[in-house]
Structures are given as C-alpha cells and as structure tokens.
C-alpha cells in the first residue's frame, strides 16, 4: 500500500481549473520531488494531500485513509502528516519551545514535559537547541525554517510535505535547510517536496514529477528525468534552470 | 461677560441630597464608569464572537455577522439609545417589558444604556477583529490546521492571540469612545457624569465650573485608560513581532 495515493484529482478555483486529472503515488520511504513553472499547480497539489486545499474530483488516500470521505477526522490525519511552508509560518507570539509543543499538547494530548523533551530533541537535530527560548522574529529565515521542520517532526509524522521550503530564503541560508532535509530523506522519511532545488532532487529524490498548467506531464524515476525527460516542455524547463 | 466665578461651589451643599456638588459629580462619575466598563466588557466578548464569525468558512454565519455589524453601526447611537429605552420594553414577551419599566432608578436607565452601548460598541470591535484576522497571512491559519489543530483551536491558540496584539491600539480608542459615549445615556435619564454636571448647573447656575469639572474628569479618566493600555501593550509585546522594534536578526 502506498503511503500517499493520489487518484485522478481535479480542482477548480471558480472557473479556473488548477489541477487536471492528477494521479501519482508515494511509497513508504520514498522521496518525491515536484517541479514546474510557477502557477503550474504544484503548491496546490501538495496542499491537497493533507486536505488544506479541498478537491472536487478524484480521491486521495494517505496511509490507506481517504481524505474525501466525510467520516475521516481531518485534524487527526493532519496531525500525522508534517507540513513545511514556504514562509515558515512559525507562530510569532510563541517562543521556539512553545511552537514545538503547542500541537503536541493540544492535539496529541502529550504532557507538557513529554512534549518539551520531544521538541527539544528535534530542535537539537536541526542544530538550534540554544535558540529554544527565542521568538521566531529573533531568528534568521534559515533558522526559522529549521524550527518549522523540527515542529513538524515533533508530531512523529508518517510522511512530510514540503511546499517550496527554500524559496523565501537568502541564498546562503538555503543549504542549512537542505542539509536537514537531505538527512531526513536518508533516514527513510517519506517526503513530497515542491522545489526548484535540482541539486537536492539529484541527491535524494527517488522520483521527479514535472507539472504544467495543472497537469502532471512527467512522472519518472530521478535518473530518467535528469537523463532524458519524455516531453519537450520538461526538457525546456530543465534546460532553463540547469544552465546556471 | 457678566459671570460670577465661584470655584468653591463644589464644596457647597447640593439640593439633590447627596452632599456637596462635588459628591453629585463623583456619584455621576461612578455611574459613568459602571456603564462604560460593563459595556466595554460585553462589547469585547460579543465583538470577538461576531468578528470571528465574519471570517468563518460558513456563508450563513458570515452573513449573519455582517448584518449584525451593519445594523448596529449604521444607526446613530442616540436613536439606538431611544430604541432600547422606549421601544424595546413594548415588545418584550412574558411581561419582561413591564418589569423593565418598573425598575428603580438608576437601574431603569442603566440596563438599557449598558445594552445599547454594548451592542453599538460590539459592532465596532467585531469589525476590528475581522480586519485583524484578515491582516494575518493565510499561512498562519494553514499552519495551525496542518499541525492537526481544529478550527476552534487554530483561532484560540494561533489567530486570536496575534489579532488582539495587533488591534490593541484601536481597542484602546474604542474603550475611550465607550466612556465618552456613555454620556448619551443622560437622554434616557441616567445620572452619569454629564447629567450630574448638567444638574449642578441647573441648581447653582455655575455652568462653567460644572462643565469644566466634567471635562477635566473625562480627560483624566481617558489619560488613565491610555496609560493602562500602554502598559498592557508592553506586557504582551513579542520580541521581533508587533509592539517592539525589530531586533537585529541573529545569524548563526
């Protein structure tokens, strides 16, 4: 059974169709990179996986649980699907430690002590233990994103979604975030990553999806994608972003 | 101008049987504060609920909230005061209207005055809460939901703590407004500060002294409000976020 199973989904914003009949699967332990030009629907696609963007057609199963079924407890499902956003979205009024523990206590019903211990353990893994009492506004972008990753990991997710995690960062901070993600991938975390970081894709992705105008037009193992994509559109895209 | 200034008038006996004219004014001040603070608390609670409703996914709740806001902020305060005092008791069921009319002073005026100011101010608070929520990036709500918080928890732990910090300065103005607006209650017979000053000049003909005193008292109350709210703003300020100067970013 695939960890994430996306079956023929379509989504409209009013009369604009953002996703057209998209299907793909992510197996347990697999790293899937999604790329494509802006406005192609890649961010929308990843947000459908934890139901932040509702879909009008098709079906999504996460760990065998249907997202579209009215019986599904969405908050419970989301608690086990980690998500990292382009703009970090740490809670600015809470300290780093409180950011890490809020959902553990309120959603997973862990005790404060247990949640604190877990949170700090992940904070140490992203190398920011000494920042635990700071507020997000006192951290650099790269540090904030690493805290955001630690926050998601503290929930013991079964898979992680990354929505352009390095797009809002200064160039010199990108690598500190990618390092954390590479380590995570190597440890076997199931990951779906929207990114333009082709270096990251080459290093840890198993498969690459290329999207254009709401369609998945390439879904290939990494070697094939970088070797010889099937479509001209993907080839053009690669030519443009790989020359520099 | 022929006017006999007589500043010692405040220490002379007032014919209303409350002691001196100063006692008359302080008694009025007391009802001003009771009216304004009760209305402010009710308006804060009610306004928060209505303001949140306005931002919920449910179209029905959002429309009810919009209608509420437009109703209470589009009708002049004085008209609303008359509606609560003269019209409402006629339409209340189970003899409640009769009970309301039979309330002894000051309750007969105080209850409608507090209701009126609460609803009027709550519409304004609601609009500020709504604007505050809209001003937050959509990502904050998504981040809360993505962590498994339900919608109520996302508002409770993520959105509202931010919103209240953002709108604290405008809530300060609103608190000052409700104190000043409480003077309108004199039209339905509540002897609050303005009415007390008015009564004082009726009895003593020292109109300038009476209204100078009332003016000073209003200014002092509102200065106290400003000081308290500034203190509150500092207390809830978050480093690197609203209410503080952004500190230099620390990079490792």
């Amino acid at each position: 059974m695939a960890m994430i199973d996306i079956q023929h989904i379509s989504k409209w914003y009013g009369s604009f169709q953002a996703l057209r009949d998209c299907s793909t699967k992510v197996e347990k332990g697999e790293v899937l990179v999604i790329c494509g030009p802006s406005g192609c629907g890649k961010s929308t696609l990843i947000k459908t996986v934890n139901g932040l963007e509702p879909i009008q057609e098709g079906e999504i199963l996460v760990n065998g649980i249907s997202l579209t079924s009215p019986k599904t407890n969405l908050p419970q499902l989301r608690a086990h699907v980690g998500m990292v956003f382009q703009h970090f979205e740490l809670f600015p009024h809470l300290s780093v430690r409180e950011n890490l523990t809020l959902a553990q206590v309120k959603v997973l019903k862990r005790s404060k002590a247990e949640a604190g211990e877990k949170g700090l353990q992940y904070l140490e893994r992203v190398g920011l233990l000494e920042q635990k009492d700071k507020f997000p506004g006192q951290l650099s972008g790269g540090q904030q994103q690493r805290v955001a990753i630690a926050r998601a990991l503290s929930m013991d997710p079964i898979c992680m979604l990354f929505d352009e995690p390095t797009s809002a960062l200064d160039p010199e901070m990108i690598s500190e975030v990618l390092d954390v993600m590479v380590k995570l991938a190597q440890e076997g975390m199931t990951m779906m990553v929207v990114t333009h970081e082709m270096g990251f894709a080459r290093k840890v992705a198993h498969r690459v999806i290329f999207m254009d105008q709401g369609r998945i037009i390439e879904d290939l193992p990494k070697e094939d994608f970088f070797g010889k994509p099937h479509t001209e559109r993907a080839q053009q895209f690669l030519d443009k972003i790989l020359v520099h | 101008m022929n006017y006999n200034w007589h500043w010692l008038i405040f220490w002379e006996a007032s014919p209303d049987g409350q002691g001196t004219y100063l006692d008359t004014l302080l008694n009025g001040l007391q009802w001003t504060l009771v009216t304004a603070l009760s209305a402010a608390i009710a308006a804060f609670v009610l306004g928060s609920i209505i303001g949140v409703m306005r931002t919920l996914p449910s179209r029905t709740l959002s429309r009810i909230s919009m209608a509420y806001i437009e109703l209470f902020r589009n009708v002049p305060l004085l008209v609303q005061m008359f509606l609560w005092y003269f019209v409402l008791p006629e339409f209340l069921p189970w003899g409640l209207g009769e009970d309301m009319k039979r309330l002894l002073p000051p309750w007969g005026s105080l209850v409608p005055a507090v209701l009126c100011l609460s609803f009027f101010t709550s519409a304004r608070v609601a609009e500020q809460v709504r604007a505050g929520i809209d001003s937050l990036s959509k990502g904050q709500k998504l981040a809360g939901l993505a962590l498994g918080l339900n919608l109520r928890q996302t508002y409770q732990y993520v959105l509202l703590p931010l919103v209240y910090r953002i709108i604290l300065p405008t809530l300060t103005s609103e608190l000052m407004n409700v104190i000043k607006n409480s003077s309108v209650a004199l039209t339905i017979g509540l002897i609050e500060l303005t009415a007390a000053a008015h009564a004082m000049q009726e009895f003593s003909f020292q109109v300038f002294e009476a209204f100078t005193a009332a003016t000073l008292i209003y200014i002092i109350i509102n200065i106290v409000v400003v000081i308290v709210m500034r203190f509150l703003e500092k207390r809830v300020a978050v480093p690197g976020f609203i209410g503080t100067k952004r500190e230099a970013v620390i990079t490792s």
Side-chain angles (χ1 to χ4, degrees), chain B residues 137-235:
Chain B
S137 83
K138 202 178 160 231
Q140 285 287 304
K141 182 175 162 193
L142 293 184
L145 294 176
L147 280 165
L149 299 173
N150 60 34
L151 197 58
R152 184 186 62 73
Q153 291 173 318
T154 303
Y155 272 89
Q156 184 180 350
Y157 301 117
V158 179
L159 303 181
L160 287 179
L162 292 169
V163 165
Y164 287 134
R165 284 178 171 88
I166 293 169
I167 68 172
L168 203 49
T170 60
L171 287 180
T172 305
S173 307
E174 222 43 69
L175 180 52
M176 292 162 78
N177 276 341
V178 77
I179 291 168
K180 290 179 283 181
N181 285 343
S182 68
S183 63
V184 175
L186 85 86
T187 58
I188 59 167
L190 184 68
I191 310 297
E192 42 66 67
L193 182 54
T194 306
H198 190 252
M200 176 175 166
Q201 67 97 16
E202 296 259 282
F203 293 134
S204 68
F205 304 107
Q206 300 301 133
V207 57
F208 289 116
E209 288 85 344
F211 282 104
T212 304
T215 305
L216 285 177
I217 295 173
Y218 277 118
I219 290 175
I220 291 167
I221 309 173
N222 279 336
I223 288 175
V224 171
V225 167
V226 169
I227 292 171
V228 170
M229 295 300 270
R230 284 274 156 76
F231 173 75
L232 191 62
E233 278 173 40
K234 286 218 177 89
R235 270 297 298 275

Side-chain angles (χ1 to χ4, degrees), chain A residues 92-201:
Chain A
H93 59 298
L94 300 179
S95 70
V96 166
R97 185 205 297 263
E98 291 164 332
N99 263 282
L100 294 167
T101 55
L102 176 69
Q104 289 189 70
V105 172
K106 302 298 176 195
V107 181
L108 302 182
K109 309 289 176 201
R110 287 178 183 158
S111 73
K112 274 211 167 138
E114 189 191 356
E117 201 175 311
K118 189 110 198 169
L120 294 185
Q121 182 191 324
Y122 282 107
L123 195 60
E124 187 168 21
R125 275 191 40 182
V126 301
L128 292 171
L129 189 57
E130 68 279 14
Q131 314 286 359
K132 60 181 186 294
D133 296 316
K134 291 238 173 77
F135 284 85
Q138 297 172 302
L139 302 179
S140 72
Q143 289 173 326
Q144 289 190 52
Q145 194 60 300
R146 281 145 72 197
V147 172
I149 294 172
R151 177 174 74 176
L153 292 175
S154 301
M155 301 293 284
D156 294 323
I158 52 173
C159 59
M160 288 280 288
L161 311 173
F162 292 85
D163 185 10
E164 304 206 32
T166 57
S167 301
L169 293 174
D170 287 342
E172 56 202 288
M173 292 173 187
I174 290 176
S175 65
E176 67 185 60
V177 171
L178 288 180
D179 286 347
V180 170
M181 292 169 60
V182 167
K183 216 166 90 189
L184 203 57
Q186 286 165 348
E187 286 166 10
M189 175 60 79
T190 309
M191 292 163 67
M192 214 169 149
V193 186
V194 173
T195 186
H196 290 146
E197 296 295 332
M198 289 301 128
F200 171 82

Side-chain angles (χ1 to χ4, degrees), chain B residues 90-108:
Chain B
E90 307 300 329
F91 290 95
L92 281 180
W94 312 303
L96 277 173
E98 290 307 310
D99 291 345
M100 214 168 146
K101 284 192 225 169
R102 271 199 298 271
L103 284 173
L104 292 175
W107 309 108

Side-chain angles (χ1 to χ4, degrees), chain B residues 73-114:
Chain B
R73 71 173 185 173
N74 290 352
V75 178
L77 180 60
L78 185 59
V79 174
Q80 293 193 31
M81 201 60 93
F82 287 164
L83 286 173
W84 284 102
Y85 186 70
F86 294 113
V87 180
L88 178 76
E90 307 300 329
F91 290 95
L92 281 180
W94 312 303
L96 277 173
E98 290 307 310
D99 291 345
M100 214 168 146
K101 284 192 225 169
R102 271 199 298 271
L103 284 173
L104 292 175
W107 309 108
S109 314
L110 186 78
V111 172
V114 169

